[in-house]
Every structure is written in structure tokens, then in C-alpha cells.
Amino acid sequence: MEADGLGLKGFPELKNDTFLRAAWGEETDYTPVWCMRQAGRYLPEFRETRAAQDFFSTCRSPEACCELTLQPLRRFPLDAAIIFSDILVVPQALGMEVTMVPGKGPSFPEPLREERDLERLRDPAVVASELGYVFQAITLTRQRLAGRVPLIGFAGAPALQLFESHAGHLGPHLFNKFALPYIRDVAKQVKARLQEAGLAPVPMIIFAKDGHFALEELAQAGYEVVGLDWTVAPKKARERVGKTVTLQGNLDPCALYASEEEIGQLVKQMLDDFGPQRYIANLGHGLYPDMDPEHVGAFVDAVHRHSRLLRQN
């Protein structure tokens, strides 16, 4: 590192690399923890920031994305930040219209139904410039994190954390045909392009919700970390994937509606089941808007406290 404390491309030197070491399968002093949707509507400051503009206008503002990303880290001692954005900015940049329908969520008035519909999309070479605001948000956030924790990027499966949110709707046969090849291809291409650019490798996470039937395949898809939802038993998952990948998850998000004492007990059981190494604590899905921030804090603190005790014993 340079003498002024700046690392690659002038970014501040990383001070807490526990999350990265766990992702690479290295030993850690405690279990790192972050939460899906940690930058979300359960935080009053998030709602206040978001009230000023609509969702996609917020996504296009690097300053707003940076602020929303940093908010949970001001409250909780999380071991990673995840950039505030949305996978739907990509189809928008490709020229598709995306609308937010009350009570339904994102919707495509003109979805891609036939192969010829692909002709309506913009050239991918143009898309990169259209998404300039995302790269600006990532750069700004890395600067303002001041090396406190790593920053996670994400994408939707057809790095980083790759989300395949509808894996459970496909079943094994269709998943293996329409999802798994592209999940593998994303990992392969990201790693190849990093190498071509002379950049250090980046650990990648695959989270296929309800994709318990494909754990073995996902563990061999080229990702360092496999995320689990709350329907998967940790001990059985470890038996199935072996010891060559890190597991992430998988507390039922609804557990955070319990008392802080019970949250601590559930976290302790989860940590016992996963074991002290090759593990990143998280929920089995994202935080819900009506959750109490104090209970999120209790979850994070319980992971740190119990994981240190687990190592001592």
C-alpha cells in the first residue's frame, strides 16, 4: 500500500477484511455478518432519504445511492456494505420500460416473449455508458467507506452476489437447463475479465432462493460462497457441498420479530450448526420493511458475541 494509506486506484486501505477472508475460506477471529436489504425501509433515515424522489431516480443518483448504502453501517457494526441499486437498471439501460405498480412492484409493459423481441434492445456496448451512474455510485461509496469494510456488488442471475430469486419456480430439470449454465458462465467471465485487466480476484457469492435441490451443482459453479435460504438445514447443506466453499445465511428473517433474547438463542443455534469457519452469517432472505432496527442490531451483535465464544470453546 502507498504511504498515504491509499490502495489500488486511490481507494482507502481496507481495515476490516474479515468478510473477505471468510469468503476465501481463510480462518477468522469471529463470524462476519451482513444482511440482505440492510439498506432498506426498516430504517427511518432510509425512508426520509427516499421520500425526496421516486425509486429509479434514486438509483440514478450516485450521491443518494452512497448515502443509503452507508446508513446501516452508521447504526450497526456490519462486516460488509452492499451497494444500493437494483437489478432492473440493467433492462432499463437496454431500452426496456420498467414501471412500479402499486401493490405489485416492478412490471414490464412490453416483456421479452419471443426471440425477435431481442432486436428491440440496445447494443450492449452502449449499455455500459448508460449505466455510468452505477459505477459513479460504487466509486463514491468506496471512497466514503474509508476502508471500513468491503463493498459488495450484485447482479440478477438470467459479482459480487448473484441473485437467482426464482430458482424454486423452475425445479431441477428447468433450473439445470435455463439457469445453471448462465450462473456458471457469469462466474467464469467475471474471473476471466478480472485476470485480463490485471486485477486481483474477487470472491463471488451465489444465492439461489429455494434452490436447495441444486446445492451440489451451485457449490461447483465457480463461486466461493453459496448463500442459503432459511428452508435449508445448515448441517445437511455442509454435508452436501463439502468443505471447498463458504456457506452464507440463513436465519429465517421472521426470527427478527422475536424478542432480543430469543434472537440471541436462535443465532447461537445457527452458529453451532454452521461451525466457526468457512461461514458468513446472514438472514435467509432480505429484511422486511416493518422490522425493528433494534432487533437487527441484536442479530448483528449476537453473531459477533456468540461466534467469539464458539471459537474460545
Side-chain angles (χ1 to χ4, degrees), residues 71-92:
Q71 284 176 352
L73 276 85
R74 297 188 188 117
R75 277 185 179 255
F76 316 118
L78 295 156
D79 294 290
I82 182 165
I83 194 70
F84 176 84
S85 189
D86 195 275
I87 58 175
L88 295 177
V89 300
V90 176
Q92 275 191 330

Side-chain angles (χ1 to χ4, degrees), residues 31-216:
T31 298
V33 57
W34 67 283
C35 298
M36 286 183 274
R37 290 202 205 114
Q38 63 189 33
R41 287 176 288 168
Y42 73 101
L43 291 175
E45 58 266 39
F46 177 97
R47 297 194 297 270
E48 183 179 347
T49 302
R50 281 276 292 105
Q53 51 193 167
D54 67 60
F55 180 75
F56 287 116
S57 295
T58 303
C59 290
R60 295 187 192 98
S61 167
E63 188 70 37
C65 289
C66 176
E67 168 60 20
L68 294 169
T69 300
L70 297 178
Q71 284 176 352
L73 276 85
R74 297 188 188 117
R75 277 185 179 255
F76 316 118
L78 295 156
D79 294 290
I82 182 165
I83 194 70
F84 176 84
S85 189
D86 195 275
I87 58 175
L88 295 177
V89 300
V90 176
Q92 275 191 330
L94 285 166
M96 296 183 70
E97 182 183 359
V98 185
T99 59
M100 284 293 181
V101 179
K104 179 184 177 182
S107 178
F108 292 94
E110 295 185 52
L112 303 177
R113 299 189 186 279
E114 306 289 343
E115 187 174 353
R116 64 175 178 270
D117 292 338
L118 294 172
E119 298 172 6
R120 294 192 276 116
L121 300 182
R122 292 180 181 140
D123 187 315
V126 177
V127 173
S129 61
E130 288 281 336
L131 292 172
Y133 58 87
V134 176
F135 302 112
Q136 292 168 25
I138 291 171
T139 299
L140 181 62
T141 304
R142 282 196 64 181
Q143 293 287 359
R144 292 191 182 169
L145 274 170
R148 181 175 173 179
V149 293
L151 178 64
I152 303 171
F154 66 92
L160 279 84
Q161 171 148 312
L162 194 74
F163 288 88
E164 180 52 272
S165 300
H166 300 289
H169 293 290
L170 296 179
H173 176 70
L174 293 180
F175 182 82
N176 289 340
K177 182 177 181 179
F178 292 110
L180 189 60
Y182 306 103
I183 288 172
R184 289 174 175 150
D185 196 45
V186 167
K188 183 179 179 180
Q189 290 202 36
V190 168
K191 293 174 189 295
R193 293 189 185 188
L194 284 171
Q195 189 173 24
E196 290 168 7
L199 298 173
V202 174
M204 297 178 66
I205 307 167
I206 175 65
F207 175 67
K209 186 175 180 294
D210 297 326
H212 49 82
F213 53 80
L215 282 182
E216 292 88 349

